[in-house]
Every structure is written in C-alpha cells, then in structure tokens.
Coordinates of all heavy atoms in Angstrom, one line a residue:
M1 N -124.4 -117.9 193.3 CA -125.5 -117.1 193.7 C -126.4 -116.8 192.5 O -127.6 -117.0 192.6 CB -125.0 -115.8 194.4 CG -126.1 -115.0 194.9 SD -126.8 -115.7 196.4 CE -127.6 -114.4 197.0
P2 N -125.9 -116.3 191.4 CA -126.7 -115.9 190.2 C -127.4 -117.2 189.7 O -128.5 -117.1 189.2 CB -125.8 -115.3 189.2 CG -124.6 -114.9 189.9 CD -124.5 -115.8 191.2
R3 N -126.7 -118.3 189.7 CA -127.3 -119.6 189.2 C -128.5 -119.9 190.0 O -129.6 -120.3 189.4 CB -126.2 -120.7 189.3 CG -126.8 -122.0 189.0 CD -125.8 -123.1 189.2 NE -124.7 -122.9 190.0 CZ -123.7 -123.7 190.1 NH1 -123.6 -124.7 189.3 NH2 -122.7 -123.4 190.9
R4 N -128.5 -119.8 191.3 CA -129.6 -120.1 192.2 C -130.8 -119.1 192.0 O -131.9 -119.5 192.0 CB -129.2 -120.2 193.6 CG -128.3 -121.4 193.9 CD -128.0 -121.5 195.3 NE -127.0 -122.6 195.5 CZ -126.7 -123.1 196.7 NH1 -127.2 -122.6 197.7 NH2 -125.8 -124.1 196.7
A5 N -130.4 -117.9 191.7 CA -131.4 -116.9 191.5 C -132.2 -117.1 190.1 O -133.4 -116.9 190.0 CB -130.8 -115.5 191.4
L6 N -131.5 -117.7 189.2 CA -132.2 -118.1 187.9 C -133.0 -119.4 188.1 O -134.0 -119.6 187.3 CB -131.1 -118.2 186.8 CG -130.5 -116.9 186.3 CD1 -129.4 -117.2 185.3 CD2 -131.5 -116.1 185.7
M7 N -132.4 -120.2 189.0 CA -133.2 -121.5 189.1 C -134.5 -121.3 189.9 O -135.4 -122.1 189.7 CB -132.3 -122.5 189.9 CG -131.1 -123.0 189.1 SD -129.9 -123.9 190.0 CE -130.7 -125.6 189.8
L8 N -134.6 -120.3 190.7 CA -135.8 -120.1 191.6 C -137.0 -119.9 190.7 O -138.1 -120.6 190.9 CB -135.6 -119.0 192.5 CG -136.7 -118.6 193.4 CD1 -136.9 -119.8 194.4 CD2 -136.5 -117.4 194.2
P9 N -137.1 -119.0 189.6 CA -138.3 -118.9 188.9 C -138.7 -120.2 188.0 O -139.8 -120.5 187.8 CB -138.0 -117.8 187.9 CG -136.7 -117.3 188.1 CD -136.1 -118.0 189.2
V10 N -137.6 -121.0 187.6 CA -137.9 -122.2 186.9 C -138.6 -123.2 187.9 O -139.5 -123.9 187.6 CB -136.5 -122.8 186.4 CG1 -136.8 -124.1 185.7 CG2 -135.9 -121.8 185.4
R11 N -138.0 -123.2 189.1 CA -138.7 -124.2 190.1 C -140.1 -123.8 190.5 O -141.0 -124.6 190.6 CB -137.8 -124.3 191.3 CG -136.6 -125.1 191.0 CD -135.8 -125.4 192.2 NE -134.6 -126.2 191.9 CZ -133.5 -126.2 192.5 NH1 -133.3 -125.5 193.5 NH2 -132.5 -127.0 192.1
A12 N -140.3 -122.4 190.6 CA -141.7 -121.9 190.8 C -142.5 -122.3 189.6 O -143.7 -122.7 189.9 CB -141.6 -120.5 191.0
Y13 N -142.1 -122.1 188.4 CA -142.9 -122.5 187.3 C -143.3 -124.0 187.4 O -144.4 -124.4 187.2 CB -142.2 -122.2 185.9 CG -142.7 -122.9 184.8 CD1 -143.9 -122.5 184.1 CD2 -142.2 -124.2 184.3 CE1 -144.5 -123.2 183.1 CE2 -142.7 -124.9 183.3 CZ -143.9 -124.3 182.6 OH -144.4 -124.9 181.6
R14 N -142.3 -124.8 187.6 CA -142.5 -126.3 187.7 C -143.5 -126.7 188.8 O -144.4 -127.6 188.7 CB -141.2 -127.1 187.9 CG -140.3 -127.0 186.7 CD -139.0 -127.7 187.0 NE -139.2 -129.2 187.4 CZ -139.3 -130.2 186.5 NH1 -139.2 -130.0 185.2 NH2 -139.4 -131.4 187.0
L15 N -143.5 -125.9 189.9 CA -144.4 -126.2 191.0 C -145.8 -125.6 190.8 O -146.7 -126.3 191.1 CB -143.7 -125.6 192.3 CG -144.5 -125.8 193.6 CD1 -144.6 -127.3 193.9 CD2 -144.0 -125.0 194.7
L16 N -145.8 -124.4 190.3 CA -147.1 -123.6 190.3 C -147.9 -123.6 189.0 O -149.0 -123.9 188.9 CB -146.9 -122.2 190.8 CG -146.3 -122.0 192.2 CD1 -145.9 -120.6 192.5 CD2 -147.3 -122.6 193.2
L17 N -147.1 -123.5 187.9 CA -147.8 -123.3 186.6 C -147.8 -124.6 185.8 O -148.8 -124.9 185.1 CB -147.1 -122.2 185.8 CG -147.3 -120.8 186.2 CD1 -146.5 -119.9 185.4 CD2 -148.8 -120.4 186.2
S18 N -146.8 -125.4 185.8 CA -146.7 -126.6 185.0 C -147.8 -127.5 185.2 O -148.4 -128.0 184.3 CB -145.3 -127.3 185.2 OG -145.2 -128.4 184.4
P19 N -148.2 -127.8 186.4 CA -149.3 -128.7 186.7 C -150.7 -128.2 186.0 O -151.5 -129.0 185.5 CB -149.6 -128.8 188.2 CG -148.3 -128.4 188.7 CD -147.7 -127.4 187.7
W20 N -150.9 -126.9 185.9 CA -152.1 -126.3 185.3 C -152.0 -126.4 183.8 O -153.1 -126.5 183.2 CB -152.3 -124.8 185.8 CG -152.6 -124.7 187.2 CD1 -151.7 -124.8 188.2 CD2 -153.9 -124.6 187.7 NE1 -152.4 -124.7 189.5 CE2 -153.8 -124.5 189.2 CE3 -155.1 -124.5 187.2 CZ2 -154.9 -124.4 190.0 CZ3 -156.3 -124.3 188.0 CH2 -156.1 -124.3 189.4
I21 N -150.8 -126.1 183.3 CA -150.6 -126.1 181.8 C -150.7 -127.5 181.3 O -151.2 -127.8 180.2 CB -149.4 -125.4 181.4 CG1 -149.4 -123.9 181.8 CG2 -149.0 -125.6 179.9 CD1 -148.1 -123.2 181.7
G22 N -150.1 -128.5 182.0 CA -150.0 -129.8 181.5 C -148.7 -130.2 180.8 O -148.0 -129.3 180.5
G23 N -148.5 -131.4 180.6 CA -147.2 -131.8 179.9 C -147.3 -131.7 178.4 O -147.6 -132.6 177.7
R24 N -146.9 -130.5 177.9 CA -147.1 -130.3 176.5 C -145.6 -130.1 175.8 O -145.6 -129.8 174.7 CB -148.0 -129.1 176.2 CG -149.4 -129.3 176.5 CD -150.3 -128.3 175.9 NE -151.6 -128.6 176.1 CZ -152.4 -128.1 177.1 NH1 -151.9 -127.2 178.0 NH2 -153.6 -128.4 177.3
C25 N -144.6 -130.3 176.6 CA -143.3 -130.1 176.0 C -143.0 -131.2 175.0 O -143.2 -132.4 175.3 CB -142.3 -130.0 177.1 SG -140.7 -129.5 176.5
L26 N -142.5 -130.8 173.9 CA -142.1 -131.7 172.8 C -140.9 -132.4 173.0 O -140.4 -133.3 172.2 CB -142.2 -131.0 171.4 CG -143.6 -130.4 171.2 CD1 -143.5 -129.6 169.9 CD2 -144.7 -131.5 171.1
Y27 N -140.0 -131.9 173.9 CA -138.6 -132.4 174.1 C -138.6 -133.3 175.3 O -139.4 -133.2 176.2 CB -137.7 -131.2 174.2 CG -137.4 -130.5 173.0 CD1 -137.8 -129.2 172.8 CD2 -136.5 -131.0 172.0 CE1 -137.5 -128.6 171.6 CE2 -136.3 -130.3 170.9 CZ -136.7 -129.0 170.7 OH -136.5 -128.4 169.5
E28 N -137.5 -134.0 175.3 CA -137.2 -134.8 176.5 C -135.7 -134.6 176.8 O -134.9 -134.7 176.0 CB -137.3 -136.3 176.3 CG -137.0 -137.2 177.4 CD -137.8 -137.0 178.6 OE1 -139.0 -136.7 178.5 OE2 -137.2 -137.1 179.7
P29 N -135.3 -134.1 177.9 CA -136.2 -133.6 179.1 C -137.0 -132.4 178.8 O -136.7 -131.7 177.8 CB -135.1 -133.3 180.2 CG -133.9 -133.0 179.4 CD -134.0 -133.8 178.2
T30 N -138.0 -132.1 179.6 CA -138.8 -130.9 179.4 C -138.0 -129.7 179.4 O -136.9 -129.7 179.9 CB -139.9 -130.8 180.4 OG1 -139.3 -130.7 181.6 CG2 -140.8 -132.1 180.4
C31 N -138.5 -128.7 178.9 CA -137.7 -127.4 178.8 C -137.3 -126.8 180.2 O -136.2 -126.4 180.4 CB -138.5 -126.3 178.0 SG -138.7 -126.7 176.3
S32 N -138.2 -127.0 181.2 CA -137.9 -126.6 182.5 C -136.9 -127.4 183.1 O -135.9 -126.9 183.9 CB -139.2 -126.4 183.4 OG -139.8 -127.7 183.5
L33 N -137.0 -128.7 183.0 CA -135.9 -129.6 183.5 C -134.5 -129.3 182.8 O -133.5 -129.4 183.4 CB -136.3 -131.0 183.4 CG -135.4 -132.0 184.0 CD1 -135.2 -131.8 185.5 CD2 -135.9 -133.5 183.8
Y34 N -134.6 -129.1 181.5 CA -133.4 -128.7 180.7 C -132.7 -127.5 181.3 O -131.5 -127.5 181.5 CB -133.8 -128.6 179.3 CG -132.7 -128.3 178.3 CD1 -132.0 -129.3 177.7 CD2 -132.2 -126.9 178.2 CE1 -131.0 -129.0 176.8 CE2 -131.1 -126.6 177.3 CZ -130.6 -127.7 176.6 OH -129.5 -127.5 175.8
A35 N -133.6 -126.5 181.6 CA -133.1 -125.3 182.1 C -132.4 -125.5 183.5 O -131.3 -124.9 183.8 CB -134.3 -124.2 182.3
L36 N -133.1 -126.3 184.3 CA -132.4 -126.5 185.7 C -131.1 -127.3 185.5 O -130.1 -127.0 186.2 CB -133.4 -127.3 186.5 CG -134.6 -126.6 187.1 CD1 -135.5 -127.6 187.8 CD2 -134.2 -125.5 187.9
Q37 N -131.1 -128.2 184.6 CA -129.8 -129.1 184.3 C -128.8 -128.2 183.8 O -127.6 -128.3 184.2 CB -130.1 -130.3 183.5 CG -131.0 -131.3 184.1 CD -131.3 -132.4 183.2 OE1 -131.2 -132.3 182.0 NE2 -132.0 -133.5 183.7
A38 N -129.1 -127.3 182.8 CA -128.1 -126.5 182.2 C -127.5 -125.4 183.2 O -126.3 -125.3 183.2 CB -128.7 -125.8 181.0
L39 N -128.4 -124.9 184.0 CA -127.9 -124.0 185.1 C -127.0 -124.6 186.0 O -126.0 -124.1 186.4 CB -129.1 -123.3 185.8 CG -129.9 -122.3 184.9 CD1 -131.2 -122.0 185.5 CD2 -129.0 -121.1 184.6
E40 N -127.4 -125.9 186.4 CA -126.6 -126.6 187.4 C -125.2 -127.0 186.9 O -124.2 -126.8 187.5 CB -127.3 -127.8 187.9 CG -126.7 -128.6 189.0 CD -126.6 -127.9 190.3 OE1 -127.6 -127.1 190.6 OE2 -125.6 -128.0 191.0
R41 N -125.2 -127.4 185.6 CA -124.0 -127.9 185.0 C -123.1 -126.9 184.5 O -121.9 -126.9 184.6 CB -124.4 -128.9 183.8 CG -123.2 -129.5 183.2 CD -123.5 -130.5 182.1 NE -124.2 -131.6 182.8 CZ -124.9 -132.5 182.1 NH1 -125.0 -132.5 180.8 NH2 -125.5 -133.5 182.7
H42 N -123.7 -125.8 183.9 CA -122.8 -124.8 183.3 C -122.9 -123.4 183.9 O -122.2 -122.5 183.3 CB -123.3 -124.7 181.8 CG -123.0 -126.0 181.0 ND1 -121.8 -126.6 180.9 CD2 -123.9 -126.8 180.4 CE1 -122.0 -127.7 180.2 NE2 -123.2 -127.8 179.9
G43 N -123.6 -123.2 185.0 CA -123.6 -122.0 185.6 C -124.6 -120.9 185.0 O -125.3 -121.3 184.1
A44 N -124.7 -119.8 185.5 CA -125.7 -118.8 185.2 C -125.6 -118.3 183.8 O -126.6 -118.3 183.0 CB -125.6 -117.6 186.1
L45 N -124.4 -118.0 183.3 CA -124.2 -117.4 181.9 C -124.4 -118.4 180.9 O -125.3 -118.3 180.0 CB -122.9 -116.7 181.9 CG -122.7 -115.8 180.8 CD1 -123.7 -114.6 180.8 CD2 -121.2 -115.2 180.8
A46 N -123.7 -119.4 180.9 CA -123.7 -120.4 179.8 C -125.0 -121.3 179.9 O -125.7 -121.5 179.0 CB -122.5 -121.4 179.9
G47 N -125.4 -121.7 181.2 CA -126.6 -122.4 181.4 C -127.8 -121.6 181.0 O -128.8 -122.1 180.4
G48 N -127.8 -120.3 181.3 CA -129.0 -119.4 181.0 C -129.0 -119.2 179.5 O -130.2 -119.2 178.9
A49 N -127.9 -119.2 178.8 CA -127.9 -119.1 177.3 C -128.5 -120.4 176.7 O -129.3 -120.3 175.8 CB -126.6 -118.8 176.8
L50 N -128.1 -121.6 177.2 CA -128.6 -122.8 176.7 C -130.1 -122.9 177.0 O -130.8 -123.4 176.1 CB -127.8 -124.0 177.4 CG -126.4 -124.3 177.0 CD1 -125.7 -125.2 177.9 CD2 -126.5 -124.8 175.5
A51 N -130.6 -122.5 178.1 CA -131.9 -122.6 178.5 C -132.8 -121.7 177.6 O -133.9 -122.0 177.1 CB -132.2 -122.3 179.9
A52 N -132.3 -120.5 177.4 CA -133.0 -119.5 176.5 C -133.0 -120.0 175.0 O -134.1 -119.9 174.4 CB -132.3 -118.2 176.5
G53 N -132.0 -120.6 174.6 CA -132.0 -121.2 173.3 C -133.0 -122.3 173.2 O -133.7 -122.4 172.1
R54 N -133.0 -123.2 174.2 CA -134.0 -124.3 174.2 C -135.4 -123.8 174.1 O -136.3 -124.3 173.4 CB -133.7 -125.2 175.4 CG -134.8 -126.3 175.6 CD -134.8 -127.2 174.4 NE -135.2 -128.6 174.5 CZ -135.2 -129.4 175.6 NH1 -134.7 -129.0 176.8 NH2 -135.7 -130.5 175.5
I55 N -135.7 -122.8 174.9 CA -137.1 -122.3 175.0 C -137.4 -121.7 173.6 O -138.5 -121.8 173.2 CB -137.2 -121.2 176.1 CG1 -137.1 -121.9 177.5 CG2 -138.5 -120.4 175.9 CD1 -137.0 -121.1 178.7
L56 N -136.5 -121.0 173.0 CA -136.7 -120.4 171.6 C -137.0 -121.6 170.6 O -137.8 -121.3 169.6 CB -135.6 -119.5 171.2 CG -135.6 -118.2 172.0 CD1 -134.3 -117.5 171.6 CD2 -136.8 -117.3 171.7
R57 N -136.3 -122.6 170.7 CA -136.5 -123.8 169.8 C -137.8 -124.5 170.0 O -138.3 -125.3 169.1 CB -135.4 -124.8 169.9 CG -134.0 -124.3 169.4 CD -133.0 -125.4 169.4 NE -132.9 -126.3 170.4 CZ -132.0 -126.2 171.5 NH1 -131.3 -125.2 171.5 NH2 -132.0 -127.1 172.5
C58 N -138.4 -124.4 171.2 CA -139.6 -125.2 171.5 C -140.8 -124.4 171.0 O -141.3 -123.5 171.6 CB -139.7 -125.4 173.0 SG -141.0 -126.5 173.5
H59 N -141.4 -125.0 169.9 CA -142.6 -124.4 169.4 C -143.3 -125.6 168.6 O -142.8 -126.6 168.4 CB -142.3 -123.2 168.5 CG -141.3 -123.5 167.4 ND1 -141.5 -124.2 166.3 CD2 -140.0 -123.2 167.4 CE1 -140.5 -124.3 165.5 NE2 -139.4 -123.7 166.2
P60 N -144.5 -125.4 168.2 CA -145.3 -126.6 167.6 C -144.7 -127.1 166.3 O -144.9 -128.2 165.9 CB -146.6 -125.9 167.3 CG -146.8 -124.7 168.2 CD -145.4 -124.2 168.4
W61 N -143.8 -126.4 165.6 CA -143.2 -126.8 164.3 C -141.8 -127.3 164.4 O -141.1 -127.5 163.5 CB -143.3 -125.7 163.4 CG -144.8 -125.2 163.2 CD1 -145.7 -125.7 162.5 CD2 -145.3 -124.1 163.8 NE1 -146.8 -125.0 162.6 CE2 -146.7 -124.0 163.5 CE3 -144.8 -123.0 164.7 CZ2 -147.5 -122.9 163.9 CZ3 -145.6 -122.1 165.1 CH2 -147.0 -122.0 164.7
C62 N -141.3 -127.5 165.7 CA -140.0 -127.9 165.9 C -139.8 -129.4 165.6 O -140.7 -130.1 165.6 CB -139.5 -127.5 167.3 SG -140.3 -128.5 168.6
E63 N -138.5 -129.7 165.5 CA -138.2 -131.1 165.5 C -138.0 -131.7 166.9 O -137.0 -131.5 167.5 CB -137.0 -131.4 164.7 CG -137.1 -131.1 163.2 CD -135.8 -131.4 162.4 OE1 -135.0 -132.3 162.8 OE2 -135.6 -130.8 161.4
A64 N -139.1 -132.2 167.4 CA -139.0 -132.7 168.8 C -138.2 -134.0 169.0 O -137.8 -134.6 168.1 CB -140.5 -132.9 169.3
G65 N -138.0 -134.3 170.2 CA -137.2 -135.5 170.5 C -136.4 -135.3 171.7 O -136.5 -134.4 172.5
C66 N -135.4 -136.2 171.8 CA -134.4 -136.2 172.9 C -133.4 -135.1 172.7 O -132.7 -135.1 171.6 CB -133.8 -137.5 173.1 SG -132.7 -137.6 174.5
D67 N -133.2 -134.2 173.6 CA -132.3 -133.1 173.5 C -131.7 -132.8 174.9 O -132.1 -131.9 175.5 CB -133.0 -131.8 173.0 CG -132.0 -130.6 172.8 OD1 -130.9 -130.9 172.5 OD2 -132.6 -129.5 172.9
P68 N -130.7 -133.6 175.2 CA -130.1 -133.5 176.6 C -129.2 -132.2 176.6 O -128.7 -131.8 175.5 CB -129.3 -134.8 176.7 CG -128.9 -135.2 175.4 CD -130.1 -134.8 174.5
V69 N -128.9 -131.8 177.8 CA -127.9 -130.7 178.0 C -126.6 -131.2 177.6 O -126.1 -132.3 178.0 CB -127.9 -130.3 179.5 CG1 -126.9 -129.3 179.7 CG2 -129.3 -129.8 179.9
P70 N -125.8 -130.4 176.7 CA -124.5 -130.9 176.4 C -123.6 -130.9 177.5 O -123.6 -130.3 178.5 CB -124.1 -129.9 175.3 CG -124.9 -128.6 175.6 CD -126.2 -129.1 176.2
E71 N -122.6 -131.9 177.4 CA -121.5 -132.0 178.5 C -120.7 -130.7 178.6 O -120.3 -130.4 179.7 CB -120.7 -133.2 178.2 CG -121.4 -134.5 178.4 CD -121.9 -134.8 179.8 OE1 -121.0 -134.4 180.7 OE2 -123.0 -135.3 179.9
R72 N -120.3 -130.1 177.5 CA -119.5 -129.0 177.4 C -120.3 -127.7 177.1 O -121.3 -127.9 176.4 CB -118.4 -129.1 176.4 CG -117.4 -130.2 176.7 CD -116.4 -130.2 175.7 NE -115.4 -131.3 176.0 CZ -114.2 -131.1 176.4 NH1 -113.8 -129.8 176.5 NH2 -113.4 -132.0 176.7
P73 N -120.0 -126.6 177.7 CA -120.7 -125.3 177.4 C -120.5 -124.9 175.9 O -119.5 -125.5 175.3 CB -120.1 -124.3 178.3 CG -118.7 -124.9 178.6 CD -118.8 -126.3 178.5
P74 N -121.3 -124.1 175.4 CA -121.2 -123.6 174.0 C -119.8 -122.9 173.9 O -119.2 -122.4 174.8 CB -122.3 -122.6 173.8 CG -123.3 -122.8 174.9 CD -122.6 -123.5 176.0
R75 N -119.3 -123.0 172.6 CA -117.9 -122.4 172.4 C -117.8 -121.0 172.9 O -116.8 -120.6 173.4 CB -117.6 -122.4 170.9 CG -117.0 -123.7 170.6 CD -116.5 -123.6 169.1 NE -117.4 -124.4 168.3 CZ -117.4 -124.4 167.0 NH1 -116.6 -123.6 166.3 NH2 -118.2 -125.2 166.4
L76 N -118.9 -120.1 172.8 CA -118.8 -118.8 173.2 C -118.5 -118.7 174.7 O -117.8 -117.8 175.1 CB -120.2 -118.1 172.9 CG -120.4 -116.7 173.3 CD1 -119.3 -115.8 172.6 CD2 -121.8 -116.2 173.1
F77 N -118.9 -119.7 175.5 CA -118.7 -119.7 176.9 C -117.6 -120.7 177.4 O -117.5 -120.8 178.5 CB -120.0 -120.1 177.7 CG -121.1 -119.1 177.3 CD1 -122.1 -119.4 176.4 CD2 -121.2 -117.9 177.9 CE1 -123.1 -118.6 176.0 CE2 -122.2 -117.0 177.6 CZ -123.1 -117.4 176.7
A78 N -116.8 -121.2 176.5 CA -115.8 -122.1 176.9 C -114.7 -121.6 177.7 O -114.1 -122.3 178.6 CB -115.1 -122.8 175.6
F79 N -114.5 -120.3 177.7 CA -113.5 -119.7 178.5 C -113.9 -119.7 180.0 O -113.0 -119.6 180.9 CB -113.2 -118.2 178.2 CG -114.4 -117.3 178.4 CD1 -114.4 -116.5 179.5 CD2 -115.4 -117.2 177.5 CE1 -115.5 -115.7 179.8 CE2 -116.4 -116.3 177.6 CZ -116.5 -115.6 178.7
L80 N -115.2 -120.0 180.3 CA -115.7 -120.0 181.7 C -115.4 -121.4 182.3 O -115.6 -121.6 183.5 CB -117.1 -119.7 181.8 CG -117.5 -118.3 181.4 CD1 -119.0 -118.1 181.3 CD2 -116.8 -117.2 182.3
S81 N -115.2 -122.4 181.5 CA -115.1 -123.8 181.9 C -113.8 -124.0 182.7 O -112.7 -123.6 182.3 CB -115.1 -124.7 180.7 OG -114.9 -126.0 181.1
S82 N -113.9 -124.7 183.8 CA -112.8 -124.9 184.7 C -111.9 -126.1 184.0 O -110.7 -126.1 184.2 CB -113.2 -125.4 186.1 OG -114.0 -126.6 185.9
D83 N -112.5 -127.0 183.2 CA -111.7 -127.9 182.5 C -110.7 -127.4 181.6 O -109.5 -127.7 181.5 CB -112.6 -128.9 181.7 CG -113.5 -129.7 182.6 OD1 -113.2 -129.9 183.8 OD2 -114.5 -130.2 182.1
R84 N -111.1 -126.4 180.8 CA -110.3 -125.7 179.8 C -109.2 -124.9 180.5 O -108.0 -124.9 180.2 CB -111.1 -124.8 178.9 CG -110.2 -124.2 177.9 CD -111.0 -123.4 176.9 NE -110.1 -122.6 176.2 CZ -110.0 -122.5 174.8 NH1 -110.9 -123.2 174.2 NH2 -109.1 -121.9 174.2
A85 N -109.6 -124.3 181.6 CA -108.6 -123.4 182.3 C -107.5 -124.3 182.9 O -106.3 -123.9 182.9 CB -109.3 -122.6 183.4
A86 N -107.9 -125.4 183.4 CA -106.8 -126.4 183.9 C -105.9 -126.9 182.8 O -104.7 -127.0 183.0 CB -107.5 -127.5 184.6
S87 N -106.5 -127.2 181.6 CA -105.6 -127.7 180.6 C -104.8 -126.7 179.8 O -103.8 -126.9 179.3 CB -106.5 -128.5 179.6 OG -107.4 -127.5 178.9
D88 N -105.3 -125.4 179.9 CA -104.6 -124.3 179.2 C -103.5 -123.7 180.0 O -102.7 -123.0 179.5 CB -105.5 -123.1 178.8 CG -106.4 -123.6 177.6 OD1 -106.1 -124.7 176.9 OD2 -107.4 -122.9 177.4
S89 N -103.5 -124.0 181.3 CA -102.4 -123.4 182.2 C -101.1 -124.1 181.9 O -101.0 -125.2 181.6 CB -102.8 -123.6 183.7 OG -102.8 -124.9 184.0
P90 N -100.0 -123.2 181.8 CA -98.7 -123.7 181.6 C -98.2 -124.7 182.7 O -98.5 -124.5 183.8 CB -97.8 -122.5 181.5 CG -98.5 -121.5 182.2 CD -100.1 -121.9 182.1
K91 N -97.7 -125.8 182.2 CA -97.2 -126.7 183.2 C -95.8 -126.4 183.5 O -94.9 -126.1 182.7 CB -97.3 -128.1 182.6 CG -98.7 -128.5 182.5 CD -98.9 -129.9 181.9 CE -100.3 -130.3 181.7 NZ -100.6 -131.6 181.2
K92 N -95.5 -126.5 184.8 CA -94.1 -126.3 185.3 C -93.3 -127.6 185.2 O -93.8 -128.6 185.6 CB -94.0 -125.8 186.7 CG -94.7 -124.4 186.8 CD -94.6 -123.9 188.3 CE -95.3 -122.5 188.4 NZ -95.2 -122.1 189.7
T93 N -92.1 -127.5 184.7 CA -91.3 -128.6 184.6 C -90.0 -128.4 185.5 O -89.6 -127.2 185.6 CB -90.8 -128.9 183.1 OG1 -90.1 -127.7 182.6 CG2 -91.9 -129.2 182.2
A94 N -89.5 -129.5 185.9 CA -88.3 -129.3 186.8 C -87.1 -129.0 185.9 O -87.0 -129.5 184.8 CB -88.0 -130.6 187.5
P95 N -86.1 -128.1 186.4 CA -85.1 -127.7 185.6 C -84.0 -128.8 185.5 O -83.9 -129.7 186.1 CB -84.5 -126.5 186.3 CG -85.1 -126.4 187.6 CD -86.3 -127.3 187.6

C-alpha cells in the first residue's frame, strides 16, 4: 500500500508535467522511471530512499549516463530484503 501511494505522484508527474517540461534528464533510465522501478523492486522505504538519492544526484553538473536500479537494496535497508531473511534463518537438520 505505501509503495503504491508513493508511485501515484510519480505517475502523475510522468503523465501531466513531464510532457510540458521535456526530456531533460541526464540519466538513463530517467529519474521518474528510476523511481518507479526502485519502488516496485525494493518497496516504499528502500525504493523511496533510492529515488530520493537519484533525484538529489540529478543536476546540471552531475556525471550523467546509465544508472540502473540496483538489484539489491542499500545496506541500510538490507534487513527488509526477503532474500536475506530466508538465508539468515536457521536451518533445521534431522536428528
């Protein structure tokens, strides 16, 4: 639910404001697409942090280029990952 709530303004921006502003993003994928992908892949907390960091990095003096959403969430949010939770759980062995 929180993930979708955060995705709504990004989609509204892409639909309503982005066509008026034009394609000026220096990164590939664009910052709004990056935000949607980060939220979808990593959830509201980690995806929101990744999206905010990307927006802060996007300015005229940045090193532009290809900057895809990472496969794993940032270390700060690694405890939220289901992959890690599954690998950290103790395995039961037969006596």
